[in-house]
Amino acid sequence: QLLRVAIPVQDKVQLLFNQLKNSYESRVSQSKEQFSNAINDMIKMIFIVSIPIIISLLVIATLTTRRLNAFAKNQQAILDSLEERVKERTNALLLDHNLLQNLNEAIGIFDHHDQLHLTNKKLDDLAKVCDTPKNGTVWQLLMCLFNDVDIGHIKYHLKHKQAWRGEATLSQSADSVYMIDIANINDPSLPNSYLSISLTDISDLKSTQRQLEHTSHYDSVTQLPNRYFFNVTLDRLLRETPKQPLHLIYIDLNDFKWVNDHLGHAAGDEFLFNVGVQF
């Protein structure tokens, strides 16, 4: 009885199970197909959307690469130009330094604290004879090098006229005369105020000047004052003391022409020299 009842129910259950299985498999297959279609649609959409993006990225990358290359070339050109300018400036500074060191003039720069900031070899050689401290001022150096310098007068000219020029005799040698030039350096690009000093040896020039003055004022044979010196002195006396009487003595040499004509000009010069010695 149980079998007669259970077998038909089991068949129904089996049929229902088969129907459910077929329905499930159909739905699974349909879902797989829908999912596959969705994936394909998504791939197509991604492909369609990504192509412009990829092209845009390629264009941007190409333009960026070109710009970077151009920028790199410009930077390299700027660096090369800067390096060339640095080399030129360095060479110019080296030449300026060598020029400064090889000048015959003693040159230096001192700051607003009167401390020497820059010197050349000539000034260093002059400063060696002075036992001035390392932190000594330029004024101490000048007073050591020269006997006849007025520091107060120099500072006054620098304050009111921005520069001073004068002559001074070297302390170690009375025959050595120097021209001293001191001036303010007016350069707004400098952080502080500076002054320049230049010492020029004019000993030979002064010696030549003295020789020329002696030649122009004294006779070469007798070494007595000549006519020009006489006229200058007489004019000065008349101008300075117009009311003061003075006496003029005129002395002539008789027959001096006979000495030149008969004994020669060399004997005449010797004769005039001895006359000058007697005077």
Side-chain angles (χ1 to χ4, degrees), residues 7 22 30 65 68 72 74 124 131 136 143 165 194-195 204 235 275:
I7 288 174
N22 292 332
Q30 188 178 4
T65 303
L68 287 176
N74 290 334
D124 291 337
D131 190 16
M143 286 188 293
R165 163 174 277 197
Y194 294 90
L195 291 95
D204 294 339
D235 181 69
V275 170

Side-chain angles (χ1 to χ4, degrees), residues 222 224 253 270-279:
T222 63
L224 293 175
L253 296 177
E270 185 179 357
F271 174 74
L272 286 178
F273 175 78
N274 284 282
V275 170
V277 171
Q278 296 301 320
F279 281 126

Side-chain angles (χ1 to χ4, degrees), residues 33-47:
E33 184 178 357
Q34 290 177 353
F35 181 75
S36 177
N37 292 333
I39 292 296
N40 291 331
D41 292 339
M42 186 178 295
I43 291 174
K44 290 179 181 179
M45 185 179 296
I46 291 174
F47 186 72

Side-chain angles (χ1 to χ4, degrees), residues 146-159:
F146 306 101
N147 292 324
D148 48 353
V149 289
D150 189 344
I151 302 301
H153 180 71
I154 296 175
K155 290 183 177 180
Y156 176 83
H157 271 261
L158 290 175
K159 181 178 180 180

Side-chain angles (χ1 to χ4, degrees), residues 25-235:
E25 288 178 353
S26 176
R27 288 187 178 183
V28 168
S29 176
Q30 188 178 4
S31 296
K32 286 182 178 180
E33 184 178 357
Q34 290 177 353
F35 181 75
S36 177
N37 292 333
I39 292 296
N40 291 331
D41 292 339
M42 186 178 295
I43 291 174
K44 290 179 181 179
M45 185 179 296
I46 291 174
F47 186 72
I48 293 172
V49 173
S50 63
I51 286 177
I53 294 176
I54 292 173
I55 294 174
S56 300
L57 290 176
L58 289 175
V59 172
I60 293 173
T62 303
L63 294 176
T64 303
T65 303
R66 289 181 179 178
R67 290 185 178 180
L68 287 176
N69 290 334
F71 179 75
K73 289 181 180 179
N74 290 334
Q75 288 294 102
Q76 188 62 40
I78 292 173
L79 289 175
D80 292 341
S81 176
L82 183 61
E83 184 178 1
E84 187 65 24
R85 291 177 62 184
V86 168
K87 287 182 179 179
E88 291 178 356
R89 184 58 182 161
T90 302
N91 291 334
L93 288 174
L94 290 174
L95 290 174
D96 290 342
H97 175 74
N98 289 318
L99 176 63
L100 179 68
Q101 295 300 323
N102 292 300
L103 286 175
N104 288 326
E105 289 77 11
I107 295 176
I109 302 292
F110 59 99
D111 55 25
H112 57 289
H113 296 301
D114 299 332
Q115 301 290 326
L116 281 170
H117 186 73
L118 175 68
T119 60
N120 67 346
K121 185 176 182 300
K122 191 73 173 182
L123 186 58
D124 291 337
D125 292 340
L126 284 175
K128 287 179 181 178
V129 300
C130 293
D131 190 16
T132 55
K134 291 184 178 180
N135 58 347
T137 65
V138 66
W139 311 119
Q140 292 176 321
L141 178 63
L142 285 177
M143 286 188 293
C144 174
L145 290 175
F146 306 101
N147 292 324
D148 48 353
V149 289
D150 189 344
I151 302 301
H153 180 71
I154 296 175
K155 290 183 177 180
Y156 176 83
H157 271 261
L158 290 175
K159 181 178 180 180
H160 294 87
K161 298 183 179 180
Q162 304 299 311
W164 178 84
R165 163 174 277 197
E167 297 178 6
T169 304
L170 202 63
S171 302
Q172 289 74 21
S173 175
D175 296 330
S176 298
V177 182
Y178 278 78
M179 176 70 73
I180 306 174
D181 288 284
I182 304 177
N184 288 313
I185 300 176
N186 298 315
D187 192 340
S189 61
L190 292 174
N192 298 309
S193 60
Y194 294 90
L195 291 95
S196 64
I197 180 171
S198 175
L199 308 178
T200 306
D201 189 353
I202 57 172
S203 304
D204 294 339
L205 181 63
K206 297 297 290 186
S207 176
T208 304
Q209 182 180 356
R210 286 192 294 267
Q211 292 177 3
L212 291 175
E213 289 179 354
H214 185 272
T215 302
S216 63
H217 288 79
Y218 292 86
D219 183 73
S220 61
V221 176
T222 63
Q223 299 301 315
L224 293 175
N226 59 13
R227 183 184 302 173
Y228 172 78
F229 186 81
F230 167 78
N231 290 331
V232 171
T233 305
L234 181 62
D235 181 69

